Amino acid sequence: MRTPLIATLTALALLAVPAFAAEQTREAYAAAVEPICKSNKAAADRLLGPVKGLVKNDKLKQAGTAFSKAATELEKTQKKLAVVPQPPADTAKLAKWLTEIKNEVALMRQISTKFRQGKKGPASSLAVTLQQNATKANNLVIAFQFNYCKIDPTKYT
Amino acid sequence: MKRTGAKRPMHEPKASVGVAKRLSAAIVAALLVASVSVAGSLADTTQQGTLRVKFGGHLSPTRLPRTGLAPVAVALSGDITTTDHSTPPQLSTITMAINRHGRLNPTGLPRCHYHQIQPASTGEAHAACADALVGTGSFRANVALPDQSPFPSDGKVLAFNGVLHGHPVIYAHIYGTVPVPISQLITFRIHRIEGTYRVVLSAQLPQVAAEWGYVSGLSLTLKRTYRYKGQPRSYLSAGCPAPQGINVANYPFARASFGFDDGRTLHSRLTRTCKVR
């Protein structure tokens, strides 16, 4: 009789450990995702930094390529962020945030296409939407007090 | 912190002096927040610990010339809250910088002097310095009284063009009547820096005890057009210098810092959109 009891307690203990280990806090989540966003920011600075100058000089194809590459980088980042364990109370909010980041990727690809087509005006209109979308995304995660994970496309657009 | 002579009750209980101080502290903090928040359709919210500051507002009109400047109005709004509903710390400093494509020019505008509007009710201040008025607004605050729950208070804000020690300033006159009539004047120094944000407005708030009250919200709109030497002028003007072929553009509108008496400083940047007319 003793053996089954010990086995049961051991099994319960083993079950309990992962349950506690999965309890992610906001601070721990922020600490886990900020380095991911930091490397994306470095890539975005490198790729999108020259975009304003390119557009002013009508080098729209290069601007389009830069947006396309930056979109690919952001997509990779979004996938990395999606696998980080989330605080249980914030899963719905973070799901929306990750969706908004996906929307940013889609918008950047659309901007890239417009630039490649030589359509400066529609591209700039999409850049406005990109900014508004970024503000929406940022407002979802205010409580995490992000630094690098706060989206700020203004300096590129 | 001064009381207005015109509204002073004849037989005022001593306790109301403390109330006046509390209200004044809250009003001062509210005004500072108002001056810093400049924004557009979507507010920008920043948080440190449990302290949260939300900025909102807009520039109008949004349709502006590609070259040159046009008269504009800047509407500002702000909220200070805490996520755990505790009393926020007192605001001690406020700094706001506006994009270099916006211009603040008081040339030819009449000036208001400190002694003309302090102490004074809103009506008295307006009557004394109507020609120097550059903006209006309102504030909301929660005043904390001993052994009572904080209660809401609100009042009007008037912004006047002024000069202090030879430099241009904005005198922000704030006036509330609940629980007692109180007026306060905050001086925003105007100076210029290099970079994206060029016009800087900064003010230092008097240190007050945190238990006196806290700001819950505010709004302020800066706008003034006038004539000088026969020419139309505007206190605030702006353009939308988008490259040729682009008729709508994002731009960094303003940057703000809020310093609190517990050592925390919250920073915010506001992005807005302009259209070429």
Side-chain angles (χ1 to χ4, degrees):
Chain A
M1 195 65 193
R2 184 182 282 176
T3 307
L5 180 61
I6 289 169
T8 307
L9 288 172
T10 306
L12 283 172
L14 286 172
L15 283 172
V17 169
F20 283 117
E23 283 289 321
Q24 176 83 301
T25 63
R26 280 182 177 171
E27 290 75 19
Y29 181 78
V33 297
E34 282 282 86
I36 299 170
C37 295
K38 187 179 179 181
S39 56
N40 177 256
K41 187 185 174 293
D45 285 349
R46 176 173 47 81
L47 293 165
L48 297 177
V51 159
K52 273 187 186 174
L54 292 170
V55 174
K56 273 185 185 171
N57 295 315
D58 274 331
K59 293 179 177 174
L60 302 186
K61 282 193 177 168
Q62 287 102 312
T65 304
F67 262 99
S68 176
K69 286 180 178 173
T72 304
E73 287 294 327
L74 186 58
E75 189 174 35
K76 284 181 197 167
T77 300
Q78 196 271 354
K79 283 177 181 166
K80 286 180 193 169
L81 294 172
V83 297
V84 176
Q86 301 173 350
D90 293 317
T91 50
K93 197 178 283 184
L94 289 169
K96 278 187 193 169
W97 179 60
L98 291 166
T99 303
E100 293 296 348
I101 295 175
K102 262 189 185 175
N103 293 340
E104 291 283 281
V105 172
L107 280 166
M108 288 168 80
R109 293 221 162 100
Q110 286 180 49
I111 292 169
S112 169
T113 304
K114 294 298 178 192
F115 274 136
R116 283 174 171 167
Q117 291 171 346
K119 295 177 177 173
K120 216 194 285 191
S124 65
S125 295
L126 284 166
V128 171
T129 311
L130 186 77
Q131 175 59 44
Q132 289 169 347
N133 194 66
T135 307
K136 260 181 7 186
N138 291 336
N139 283 343
L140 286 167
V141 289
I142 292 162
F144 291 87
Q145 300 171 51
F146 289 145
N147 179 16
Y148 295 106
C149 288
K150 197 171 178 181
I151 308 167
D152 181 18
T154 319
K155 56 185 175 179
Y156 315 122
T157 60
Chain B
M1 173 58 233
K2 294 181 183 178
R3 310 176 64 78
T4 65
K7 297 282 182 178
R8 190 170 188 163
M10 287 178 69
H11 302 288
E12 183 181 273
K14 284 180 181 177
S16 66
V17 175
V19 172
K21 284 181 178 176
R22 292 178 191 111
L23 182 60
S24 174
I27 290 171
V28 166
L31 179 61
L32 290 176
V33 174
S35 313
V36 171
S37 56
V38 182
S41 53
L42 282 171
D44 185 275
T45 305
T46 50
Q47 184 176 331
Q48 252 189 51
T50 59
L51 179 63
R52 191 175 272 196
V53 180
K54 182 177 175 182
F55 310 100
H58 62 272
L59 183 77
S60 62
T62 53
R63 207 170 278 275
L64 295 164
R66 194 187 302 275
T67 54
L69 302 167
V72 293
V74 175
L76 322 164
S77 67
D79 287 287
I80 294 177
T81 55
T82 54
T83 53
D84 60 356
H85 307 293
S86 60
T87 301
Q90 291 288 343
L91 198 56
S92 56
T93 60
I94 193 165
T95 304
M96 178 178 73
I98 301 170
N99 186 287
R100 68 180 188 272
H101 295 299
R103 184 179 294 172
L104 189 156
N105 188 355
T107 303
L109 194 61
R111 296 165 182 169
C112 190
H113 297 281
Y114 188 97
H115 63 84
Q116 290 179 273
I117 49 174
Q118 179 65 7
S121 66
T122 298
E124 290 165 344
H126 189 272
C129 284
D131 287 350
L133 190 70
V134 293
T136 58
S138 62
F139 75 91
R140 297 190 310 278
N142 284 327
V143 180
L145 296 176
D147 306 321
Q148 288 184 36
S149 297
F151 66 91
S153 177
D154 56 23
K156 287 198 78 169
V157 179
L158 296 180
F160 297 100
N161 176 50
V163 169
L164 184 68
H165 306 309
H167 297 287
V169 296
I170 292 174
Y171 286 125
H173 178 273
I174 49 187
Y175 185 71
T177 55
V178 177
V180 292
I182 297 294
S183 76
Q184 178 71 49
L185 207 58
I186 305 299
T187 304
F188 286 91
R189 294 171 189 274
I190 303 168
H191 56 102
R192 292 178 192 281
I193 57 170
E194 289 301 310
T196 303
Y197 305 95
R198 204 160 283 179
V199 179
V200 182
L201 305 178
S202 58
Q204 196 152 14
L205 297 180
Q207 289 299 300
V208 289
E211 66 269 19
W212 285 355
Y214 61 93
V215 177
S216 56
L218 55 94
S219 69
L220 181 67
T221 301
L222 290 172
K223 181 187 179 184
R224 176 68 197 274
T225 52
Y226 57 101
R227 294 188 78 83
Y228 178 60
K229 292 185 177 175
Q231 297 296 315
R233 299 187 74 101
S234 178
Y235 184 64
L236 286 163
S237 49
C240 185
Q244 286 296 330
I246 290 179
N247 293 324
V248 58
N250 286 324
Y251 66 100
F253 181 54
R255 182 182 63 190
S257 300
F258 294 89
F260 291 87
D261 67 354
D262 64 355
R264 276 183 282 186
T265 302
L266 271 67
H267 304 279
S268 179
R269 281 185 300 166
L270 298 167
T271 300
R272 294 298 173 254
T273 304
C274 67
K275 293 173 185 168
V276 177
R277 73 180 185 198

